[in-house]
Amino acid sequence: LLKAQNVTFTSTHREGLKRGYIHGGGQDWWGIPLWGYLKLQEHRPVLLEMIASTNVVIENLVFQDAPFWTMNLRGMENLVVRHTSVVSRRTKNLKHQLFDLSAFNTDGIDVSGHNIHVHDVDIWNQDDCISVKGNDYGGWQYDEIDGIS
C-alpha cells in the first residue's frame, strides 16, 4: 500500500490470545532447504508492505510463514503495531533447529518513519525480529527517522 491514510488492520477476536491469521504460504516459497534460497534468493513477496503511510494501526493478528519479509513499513507516520505475532518457521520445535534456518531472510517487522510504537509483539523467525531501516527505499526518500519505541 502506498500513501495509505487512517488504516487499521485488526481481527474481530479480542478475548485472550485469539487472533486472526494472515498466512503467507512461506513453505512453498522457501522450497527445498538451502536450495530454495539459492534458486529464488530475495525474489519473493513481502507479506505486508506499506510505504509513506499515515495513522496506521496493526493489531490482534498473527502473520504466519511470510515468503520473505513479514512487514515492511517504510516512511510511516504515526504507526502502532500491538498484540501481534510473527511466526516463520518450518517446524513446531521450541528451539531453532538447523532445518528451521532454511526459512531465510524472513524479517519480522522492518520500520522507518516518525512516531512509531511497536509493543506486545512476539516474533519467531530466521532473521531480524524488529529492524529500524534507513530513510530511503525503492526510490522514495523520507525525512529523518525519530520517535520509534
Side-chain angles (χ1 to χ4, degrees):
L1 297 174
L2 177 63
K3 294 185 177 182
Q5 295 182 5
N6 305 315
V7 176
T8 299
F9 295 93
T10 190
S11 170
T12 56
H13 296 291
R14 297 190 190 279
E15 312 112 30
L17 295 177
K18 295 181 181 178
R19 297 177 178 169
Y21 276 77
I22 298 175
H23 202 291
Q27 299 270 352
D28 295 334
W29 288 92
W30 302 332
I32 299 168
L34 301 176
W35 176 252
Y37 182 76
L38 293 173
K39 179 180 176 187
L40 293 174
Q41 297 179 18
E42 296 185 355
H43 303 289
R44 297 171 282 154
V46 173
L47 195 51
L48 174 63
E49 184 165 53
M50 298 187 78
I51 300 171
S53 297
T54 305
N55 300 325
V56 175
V57 176
I58 300 169
E59 64 181 4
N60 301 319
L61 293 169
V62 176
F63 291 85
Q64 181 81 41
D65 294 342
F68 189 41
W69 300 337
T70 303
M71 286 183 253
N72 187 33
L73 311 169
R74 306 293 280 275
M76 304 296 289
E77 181 81 29
N78 302 323
L79 167 69
V80 176
V81 180
R82 62 184 174 213
H83 310 294
T84 296
S85 298
V86 172
V87 181
S88 291
R89 62 188 193 187
R90 289 186 177 269
T91 67
K92 301 289 184 199
N93 291 330
L94 296 178
K95 295 181 179 180
H96 290 271
Q97 305 291 322
L98 184 59
F99 186 63
D100 285 316
L101 293 175
S102 61
F104 285 109
N105 209 3
T106 51
D107 290 12
I109 304 170
D110 295 341
V111 297
S112 69
H114 299 277
N115 300 319
I116 296 172
H117 190 149
V118 178
H119 66 93
D120 296 305
V121 300
D122 57 276
I123 300 172
W124 179 289
N125 66 353
Q126 306 309 322
D127 201 4
D128 304 327
C129 290
I130 298 173
S131 178
V132 178
K133 297 292 189 174
N135 62 351
D136 64 333
Y137 177 71
W140 288 85
Q141 184 73 31
Y142 312 109
D143 294 332
E144 63 186 62
I145 298 169
D146 64 11
I148 297 177
S149 63

